[in-house]
């Protein structure tokens, strides 16, 4: 089957029920997307499918069809969120971070200036075991041109 990922077309040979996460990581070597829980509970594996955040660990590759996938590599290091992430020194261990950024990027694409409630709603499924939530929110606010509502922790 063919997949559209980050604007490129890829031929993939994985079995149809293979989770998209493993196609990305093991077959295509796009390892920016992380494996956390494998049961759609942590958000580490978040990618975009037609602009919507999805958990790639629970997305069979056969269900993607002609949908357009964007991974953290597709942001190219130039997304305003990525600059804000650096500015606010967001990551601690870093493991959850690509998933966090992908959820935040989907939020800003739909809601350019989200308030705290919108941020909480969009980010609630992304778990950070290091507790970087304050910095994540500050970086999202900054990237959206708003003053952080809470001090970076
Ligand atoms: S690895 Fe997919 S949600 Fe945790
Ligand atoms: S930075 Fe360590 S899990 Fe989020």
């Amino acid at each position: 089957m063919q997949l559209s990922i980050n604007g490129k077309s890829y031929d993939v040979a994985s079995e149809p029920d293979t989770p998209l996460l493993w196609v990305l990581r093991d077959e295509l070597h796009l390892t920016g997307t992380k494996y956390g829980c494998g049961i759609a509970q942590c958000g580490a594996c978040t990618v975009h499918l037609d602009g919507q955040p999805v958990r790639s660990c629970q997305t069979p590759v056969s269900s993607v069809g002609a949908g357009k996938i964007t991974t953290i590599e597709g942001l190219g290091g130039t997304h305003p969120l990525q600059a804000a992430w650096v500015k606010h020194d967001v990551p601690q261990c870093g493991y959850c971070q690509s998933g966090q950024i992908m959820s935040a990027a989907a939020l800003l694409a739909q809601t350019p200036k989200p308030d705290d409630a919108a941020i909480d709603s969009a980010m609630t499924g992304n778990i950070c075991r290091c507790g970087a939530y304050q910095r994540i929110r500050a970086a999202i606010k900054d990237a959206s041109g708003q003053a952080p509502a809470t001090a970076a922790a």
Side-chain angles (χ1 to χ4, degrees):
M1 76 196 93
Q2 280 203 326
L3 294 181
S4 172
I5 306 171
N6 302 332
K8 294 184 193 168
S9 183
Y10 292 84
D11 289 314
V12 299
S14 297
E15 293 296 320
D17 60 350
T18 306
L20 174 61
L21 173 64
W22 300 118
V23 176
L24 294 171
R25 287 186 56 84
D26 290 353
E27 184 170 350
L28 303 178
H29 309 295
L30 292 167
T31 55
T33 305
K34 304 304 183 193
Y35 169 63
C37 65
I39 53 171
Q41 294 295 308
C42 77
C45 66
T46 302
V47 300
H48 296 178
L49 179 57
D50 291 329
Q52 298 299 316
V54 297
R55 307 304 188 222
S56 63
C57 70
Q58 288 290 306
T59 302
V61 66
S62 59
S63 73
V64 172
K68 296 191 184 329
I69 300 162
T70 305
T71 69
I72 188 73
E73 288 89 350
L75 298 190
T78 58
H79 193 286
L81 282 167
Q82 292 173 302
W85 242 246
V86 172
K87 177 180 172 184
H88 290 271
D89 203 13
V90 172
Q92 191 161 320
C93 81
Y95 207 81
C96 71
Q97 295 292 320
S98 64
Q100 301 278 3
I101 290 174
M102 294 309 288
S103 288
L107 167 65
L108 294 191
Q110 292 192 337
T111 309
K113 293 196 182 300
D115 59 17
D116 287 352
I119 293 172
D120 287 347
S121 175
M123 302 303 293
T124 189
N126 287 82
I127 306 302
C128 176
R129 63 191 171 188
C130 300
Y133 298 111
Q134 299 271 28
R135 297 194 300 278
I136 289 168
R137 178 184 287 190
I140 293 171
K141 287 272 190 173
D142 200 338
S144 62
Q146 305 178 91
T150 51

